[in-house]
Amino acid sequence: MNTLISPHKGVFLDYSIKLGGEGGQGIDTMGSVLAQLFSRAGYHVFTHQEYESRVRGGHNFFQMRLSDAPVCASRAPIDILVAMDRASIPVHAAELAPGGMAIYDGRATKESHEGAQFLSIPFVDLALEHGKNRIMANIVATGAVLGMLGIDLQLLFAIIRQTLAKKGEATVTANMDSARAGHEYAVRECLKCAFIAAPGGPGKILISGNDAIGVGAVVSGCKFYTAYPMTPATGILNYMAGKELSHSIVVEQAEDEIGAINMALGASFGGVRAMTGSSGGGFALMVEGLSLAAMTETPVVIALAQRPAPATGLPTRTEQADLLFALHAGHGEFPRVIFAPGSPEQCLYLTNKAFDMAEKYQIPAFILTDQYLADSAWTYDSFDQDRIVFNDYRVRGEAFQGLGEYKRHAYTESGVTPQGTPGDGTHLVVTDSDEHDEEGHLVEDALTRVRMVEKRLFRKLPLLAEEISPPLMYGEGEAETVIVGWGSTYGVMKEAVDILAGSHKIALLHFSEIYPFPSVKKLDYLTLLEKATRAVCVENNATGQFASLMRRETGFLFRDRINRYDGRPFTVESLLAELKNVMDAGKGTKRGEN
């Protein structure tokens, strides 16, 4: 087993590899295979990808970072660039780090690039010679990358056998021969490669944000998932479909998002834990169903994977601009919880918490992510199963049957009525989308209306607020600079704090439980912010939605804000540059005041 040592950072391993190409060239497959291989070899890995909204053509890339220390964001300098199309060299060559290398197929593209950082490898010719199919050019390139890094092919061969066994031995052999050809070519011809190999550690778990949400749903006992495919939430649907048989989950591709949320509500009313997911305009269609969940006090978990909008916007890019939409979606006033995880680990645990709170308080619960987090993969040594919560709050079987009477919406001190399952006994379980009485029947009298609003809203909200965890604080206890963010910006902010910690008194506050807004009882974050020389809110949106929400909830005003809204995520370098501008401007500089 090997470990890599970066020539750019002394003894520490920290390499970035970017795979560029057209849609349909297998860029995602190649990147996924390499990331899986590196994680099995014991490296810490972070991946993210950008792709255009088309099946074929356009320019896509898959970027991964591997290190001997935990990594949670992409950095800009590229050590190895794999160009599978003509566009990749002119678009990404300037990103090459000193000592970095770009490999490309000059024979296929009929182009030549001069300089020590460029090496032409005949991906297509080697694929035709050894795999008998030009489509194996990407496995040739995969083998070449491993050759450049000095990693042998055994782990790659194991992955090939595992994933392609169903296609027959001939296909497995052709892929292995193609990988070997690329590996041997790179070892023989990449004489200027400065990458060094050394011993490494045990294998790690590699998981994306979308898959982690799926895992969180499965371990929470979700038995019904329905959605209409919409990027970037589709990955959750795919994950759940893959677990349909092994975990007895009904997974339904609905005719649209209106049908999806209403099916989920029907399943939940019928007695099982249910979830739906969408993005952008898809969630817009769900809004009436969201109100139905609130009025009927039907538990449901909704994954909202944000992407740039309005309308279709940039379907495959990233943005954090639906926070206030999720907070205010639906007509009328009703409680909800909103979680915004910042890593796959948080995706898993917060999805579990969303199910628990949705069931406990009979409310809609949101998991708010975005394309960057949904499609990014991180590595972990393990997950803590003791953190998984499962409580069945419903009244079932003999306990339900033994009740003297049952009213679905009976008034209680907590506002939460025991939830019975229709057909699980002789009691009627009735609800209505109109205002209703305790038995669930339609009413219009003023007194009942007032009591129901108090039951659904005012009695539950304080209890919900007590369950919200404080923001994560990381860094200097008495920081001069505090950066604040939510959701997917966690990783890049943490890396920025780590880099600046040696020269600055800096800390970060990351909010992953957004609403009800965390109180200061468990962590007095307001005092930390008020004592700091500067407090900077970092968001992937144009208007500073979280900064506005925090102003509304706490009165705190961010005088410094960093907002990116070009559809791309922050990199470590881009955030550091923005922070330097803020720090150089000094205390009190008003950058985008609320």
Side-chain angles (χ1 to χ4, degrees):
M1 197 169 292
N2 299 319
T3 292
L4 308 176
I5 298 175
S6 168
H8 314 302
K9 288 195 173 183
V11 299
F12 296 103
L13 180 158
D14 194 351
Y15 284 157
S16 289
I17 301 171
K18 176 169 277 185
L19 316 172
E22 296 180 355
Q25 284 190 300
I27 300 301
D28 177 62
T29 300
M30 186 165 45
S32 298
V33 166
L34 280 170
Q36 188 177 354
L37 185 152
F38 294 140
S39 63
R40 289 186 183 186
Y43 305 130
H44 295 272
V45 177
F46 177 87
T47 77
H48 91 278
Q49 53 184 311
E50 292 187 19
Y51 46 95
E52 296 191 2
S53 180
R54 61 182 75 181
V55 177
R56 290 191 176 277
H59 178 68
N60 306 332
F61 72 77
F62 187 110
Q63 185 165 329
M64 73 193 78
R65 184 177 169 196
L66 60 154
S67 174
D68 58 356
V71 288
C72 50
S74 289
R75 64 184 182 93
I78 303 302
D79 296 288
I80 295 177
L81 171 63
V82 182
M84 298 301 290
D85 65 349
R86 286 185 175 180
S88 294
I89 294 291
V91 170
H92 299 297
E95 301 170 20
L96 282 172
M101 289 292 298
I103 58 174
Y104 67 104
D105 188 344
R107 293 184 190 176
T109 60
K110 303 187 186 310
E111 290 182 342
S112 178
H113 299 278
E114 302 297 329
Q117 290 189 296
F118 298 96
L119 173 65
S120 176
I121 298 178
F123 300 141
V124 173
D125 287 352
L126 291 175
L128 290 170
E129 179 182 353
H130 297 275
K132 311 303 178 189
N133 192 329
R134 64 184 298 122
I135 200 171
M136 293 185 191
N138 58 8
I139 197 68
V140 172
T142 302
V145 171
L146 297 181
M148 295 169 72
L149 293 171
I151 297 177
D152 64 43
L153 292 168
Q154 295 311 308
L155 278 175
L156 177 59
F157 288 168
I159 293 172
I160 289 173
R161 286 195 176 280
Q162 179 182 344
T163 56
L164 299 179
K166 292 182 179 178
K167 295 188 176 182
E169 188 59 28
T171 300
V172 170
T173 301
N175 277 273
M176 291 170 60
D177 289 346
S178 298
R180 186 181 293 107
H183 190 275
E184 290 175 350
Y185 193 98
V187 170
R188 185 174 64 250
E189 300 295 334
C190 194
L191 302 178
K192 296 179 181 177
C193 284
F195 309 105
I196 305 170
K204 301 185 184 303
I205 300 169
L206 179 72
I207 188 167
S208 70
N210 269 348
D211 283 358
I213 291 173
V215 173
V218 171
V219 299
S220 298
C222 177
K223 293 300 177 187
F224 188 86
Y225 186 89
T226 179
Y228 183 81
M230 191 165 186
T231 304
T234 305
I236 306 170
L237 174 62
N238 293 337
Y239 181 89
M240 297 300 287
K243 302 301 178 187
E244 189 172 20
L245 297 179
S246 60
H247 291 75
S248 301
I249 301 170
V250 174
V251 179
E252 175 71 15
Q253 179 176 322
E255 70 273 20
D256 56 34
E257 289 83 355
I258 299 173
I261 191 169
N262 285 312
M263 287 182 190
L265 295 182
S268 180
F269 184 74
V272 300
R273 293 193 168 188
M275 180 178 180
T276 185
S278 191
S279 305
F283 174 66
L285 291 175
M286 292 184 177
V287 170
E288 188 173 0
L290 174 66
S291 294
L292 177 61
M295 176 56 95
T296 59
E297 299 180 87
T298 304
V300 67
V301 175
I302 302 167
L304 172 51
Q306 303 164 96
R307 67 188 206 184
T312 311
L314 296 171
T316 60
R317 306 294 178 176
T318 198
E319 197 164 80
Q320 292 181 300
D322 290 345
L323 172 58
L324 297 183
F325 181 33
L327 179 62
H328 297 293
H331 43 294
E333 301 165 302
F334 56 88
R336 71 195 77 192
V337 294
I338 299 175
F339 297 146
S343 67
E345 182 182 41
Q346 289 187 358
C347 285
L348 193 164
Y349 293 128
L350 288 179
T351 299
N352 177 242
K353 187 171 182 177
F355 270 99
D356 189 71
M357 291 190 70
E359 294 281 326
K360 185 175 183 180
Y361 295 101
Q362 301 168 21
I363 56 169
F366 286 90
I367 299 295
L368 197 58
T369 68
D370 52 43
Q371 182 272 328
Y372 176 62
L373 177 58
D375 291 332
S376 294
W378 303 38
T379 46
Y380 298 94
D381 290 328
S382 63
F383 292 107
D384 184 0
Q385 296 184 28
D386 292 338
R387 289 181 61 183
I388 301 301
V389 176
F390 182 86
N391 295 303
D392 190 353
Y393 297 101
R394 304 197 188 217
V395 186
R396 300 182 188 273
E398 293 181 1
F400 185 46
Q401 185 62 26
L403 295 175
E405 63 172 4
Y406 180 74
K407 296 178 180 179
R408 172 65 192 93
H409 297 286
Y411 303 127
T412 63
E413 183 65 28
S414 66
V416 179
T417 308
Q419 185 169 20
T421 301
D424 195 17
T426 57
H427 298 298
L428 285 177
V429 182
V430 180
T431 191
D432 199 295
S433 63
D434 283 60
E435 191 55 274
H436 41 252
D437 60 17
E438 290 181 280
E439 295 182 332
H441 299 303
L442 186 155
V443 295
E444 295 196 16
D445 71 277
L447 179 59
T448 302
R449 167 65 181 177
V450 169
R451 294 193 68 183
M452 280 296 167
V453 170
E454 291 174 347
K455 164 186 159 51
R456 287 191 299 263
L457 184 62
F458 295 135
R459 292 184 184 276
K460 290 183 181 179
L461 263 181
L463 301 177
L464 290 168
E466 287 294 321
E467 303 222 23
I468 297 299
S469 298
L472 169 69
M473 182 189 161
Y474 179 79
E476 183 72 36
E478 296 183 358
E480 294 177 352
T481 300
V482 181
I483 57 176
V484 179
W486 61 284
S488 68
T489 55
Y490 165 70
V492 71
M493 289 197 304
K494 179 177 180 297
E495 295 232 0
V497 168
D498 286 339
I499 292 171
L500 294 174
S503 55
H504 297 76
K505 297 182 70 173
I506 187 169
L508 77 81
L509 283 170
H510 179 261
F511 289 76
S512 59
E513 302 191 23
I514 304 288
Y515 192 83
F517 205 81
S519 77
V520 295
K521 294 179 182 176
K522 298 175 183 175
L523 175 67
D524 188 1
Y525 55 85
L526 287 179
T527 297
L528 177 72
L529 291 171
E530 288 163 356
K531 286 184 176 179
T533 304
R534 60 188 70 80
V536 189
C537 193
V538 180
E539 299 187 64
N540 260 127
N541 59 52
T543 59
Q545 295 193 13
F546 180 82
S548 298
L549 178 61
M550 189 160 173
R551 171 77 166 177
R552 189 189 84 176
E553 295 288 331
T554 69
F556 185 83
L557 170 64
F558 284 99
R559 296 193 181 280
D560 292 299
R561 296 201 325 237
I562 295 173
N563 295 89
R564 182 166 188 171
Y565 42 91
D566 59 358
R568 276 70 177 172
F570 291 100
T571 63
V572 175
E573 288 74 14
S574 67
L575 181 56
L576 287 173
E578 292 276 5
L579 285 172
K580 183 177 185 303
N581 290 337
V582 172
M583 292 175 178
D584 289 346
K587 181 181 179 181
T589 301
K590 294 180 183 298
R591 289 164 49 88
E593 186 172 320
N594 286 346

